[in-house]
């Protein structure tokens, strides 16, 4: 299948690799030439603009940082929606917000396109291993058409409901990720100060009631999980600035439905401090440093 992929960052590159391994021809675009070169090294085909990419393929996947960038890539005159061929399936895997997803889907329909929101969970380890969870918002037809593409990159592909509901599920998941990253950091640092070996403590937590994805797969304490950002000077992974974006989107969505989110609001402040201190591009687990100092 000919697939277009826009956004070749920490997540996009390993997702492209899995689409290539599954036997697809993948046409790629990114603002960064370096990112395009990396994808080409793995076997992807470079394109020089989004409009060129959109005219070549039947399926377009995007993995972009923010809702504003998603909108620009989708609706600008040189973007996806004005230039894609009729019948194209557009799969936005970026973490955006439910309202943007609903607006883009409605616009896509006017051009005969099928657009779904399909944000992911599983982080860079899941993207590399092809074990991501996709939370899909969109029509039944869009979901069924996207399933073979998404299963090349993930293990769980869940239809959450109409357009926007994939983003709603993702925001609920990511506020938990933000809160639990801070909570695991607190716990690990207390244990170490009380004289425990961090790996022994992590093993205990992971077979006890405190166990969670962060403690097990993404432990913030350096050296506990080999190959994780925490064991690699907090490089790669999921940037604090992107977590601030997700927590802000969750708080905005909650405001609209009068839902209190006190833990989310407090967590956002912790990541804001990280960003303020110049660590916005570091992985979210770098927050552990705040408790080590
Ligand atoms: P990233 O910053 O590493 O990559 C984003 C890529 O998009 C970059 O290569 C950038 O050059 C490119 N880009 C930006 N503007 C562009 C434009 N106008 N046109 C084309 N390319 C453009 O981000 P990431 O960590 O890969 O995350 C991407 C999305 O996935 C975000 O919405 C994030 O919230 C979500 N997400 C990330 C993780 C994670 O662990 N990193 C996990 C789940 C979801």
């Amino acid at each position: 299948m000919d697939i277009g992929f826009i956004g070749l960052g920490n997540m996009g590159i390993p997702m492209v690799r899995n689409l290539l391994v599954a036997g697809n021809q993948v046409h790629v675009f990114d603002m960064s030439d370096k990112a395009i070169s990396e994808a080409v090294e793995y076997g992807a085909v470079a394109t020089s603009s989004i409009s060129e990419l959109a005219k070549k393929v039947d399926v377009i996947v995007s993995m972009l940082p923010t809702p504003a960038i998603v909108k620009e890539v989708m609706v600008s005159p040189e973007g996806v929606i004005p230039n894609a061929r009729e019948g194209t399936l557009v799969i936005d895997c970026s973490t955006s917000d439910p309202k943007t997803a609903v607006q883009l889907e409605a616009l896509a329909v006017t051009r005969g396109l099928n657009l779904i929101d399909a944000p992911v969970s599983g982080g860079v380890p899941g993207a590399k291993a092809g074990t991501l969870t996709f939370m899909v918002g969109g029509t039944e037809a869009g979901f069924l058409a996207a399933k073979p593409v998404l299963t090349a990159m993930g293990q769980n592909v869940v239809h959450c409901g109409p357009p926007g509901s994939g983003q709603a599920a993702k925001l609920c998941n990511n506020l938990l990720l933000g809160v639990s990253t801070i909570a695991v950091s607190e716990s690990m640092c207390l244990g170490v100060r009380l004289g425990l070996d961090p790996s022994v403590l992590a093993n205990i937590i992971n077979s006890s009631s405190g166990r969670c994805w962060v403690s097990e797969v993404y432990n913030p304490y350096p050296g506990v999980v080999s190959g994780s950002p925490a064991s690699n000077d907090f490089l790669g992974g999921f940037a604090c600035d992107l977590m601030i974006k997700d927590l802000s989107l969750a708080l905005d969505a909650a405001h609209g439905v009068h839902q209190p989110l006190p833990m989310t609001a407090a967590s956002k402040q912790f990541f804001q401090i990280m960003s303020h201190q110049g660590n916005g591009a570091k992985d979210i687990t770098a927050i552990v440093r705040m408790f080590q100092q």
Side-chain angles (χ1 to χ4, degrees):
M1 195 185 295
D2 275 288
I3 299 176
F5 202 107
I6 306 168
L8 307 167
N10 289 325
M11 294 294 286
I13 287 281
M15 290 166 78
V16 165
R17 288 188 77 173
N18 284 324
L19 288 173
L20 288 165
V21 167
N24 299 291
Q25 172 102 315
V26 187
H27 304 257
V28 293
F29 180 76
D30 194 286
M31 296 286 277
S32 150
D33 290 341
K34 193 166 159 256
I36 294 181
S37 302
E38 192 181 345
V40 168
E41 269 174 37
Y42 296 128
V45 180
T47 58
S48 56
S49 67
I50 292 170
S51 57
E52 181 198 331
L53 176 147
K55 286 172 186 148
K56 275 188 176 169
V57 297
D58 300 314
V59 178
I60 299 173
V61 182
S62 52
M63 195 53 170
L64 296 158
T66 66
I69 293 174
V70 171
K71 266 190 205 163
E72 179 201 315
V73 164
M74 292 296 166
V75 308
S76 73
E78 285 298 300
V80 168
I81 294 178
N83 292 288
R85 302 191 293 217
E86 197 178 334
T88 299
L89 172 66
V90 184
I91 307 174
D92 181 29
C93 294
S94 327
T95 305
S96 180
D97 65 285
K99 271 188 193 159
T100 300
V102 169
Q103 286 165 1
L104 292 178
E105 197 271 341
L107 200 61
V109 167
T110 65
R111 279 226 57 244
L113 314 176
N114 203 343
L115 186 148
I116 61 169
D117 47 301
V120 310
S121 175
V124 174
K128 284 184 178 163
T131 57
L132 293 170
T133 292
F134 287 90
M135 309 165 209
V136 179
T139 60
E140 182 73 15
F143 170 71
L144 293 175
K147 214 170 170 188
V149 179
L150 299 181
T151 42
M153 301 180 282
Q155 239 167 16
N156 303 309
V157 183
V158 184
H159 192 194
C160 304
S165 49
Q167 296 297 352
K170 173 65 180 167
L171 295 184
C172 296
N173 179 77
N174 268 33
L175 75 83
L176 266 178
L177 173 64
V179 172
S180 58
T181 301
I182 297 166
V184 175
S185 298
E186 282 188 9
S187 164
M188 291 297 301
C189 289
L190 172 65
V192 170
R193 273 191 206 266
L194 294 177
L196 292 167
D197 177 278
S199 294
V200 171
L201 175 57
N203 280 338
I204 291 163
I205 292 171
N206 291 333
S207 54
S208 304
S209 49
R211 173 179 167 268
C212 62
W213 185 85
V214 173
S215 68
E216 197 168 18
V217 178
Y218 216 69
N219 199 295
Y221 209 89
V224 169
V225 177
S226 67
S228 68
S231 299
N232 185 29
D233 198 22
F234 307 102
L235 297 174
F238 183 38
C240 289
D241 282 341
L242 287 179
M243 176 54 88
I244 293 169
K245 179 244 332 181
D246 289 2
L247 298 176
S248 303
L249 293 174
L251 290 163
D252 286 350
H255 180 67
V257 292
H258 309 288
Q259 175 65 41
L261 296 181
M263 302 293 282
T264 306
S267 301
K268 182 180 160 185
Q269 296 304 315
F270 281 87
F271 290 106
Q272 298 260 56
I273 293 169
M274 290 294 289
S275 191
H276 181 70
Q277 291 173 339
N279 294 315
K282 292 269 183 187
D283 180 69
I284 51 172
T285 51
I287 201 113
V288 74
R289 285 187 174 159
M290 219 183 257
F291 304 100
Q292 279 180 312
Q293 283 156 6

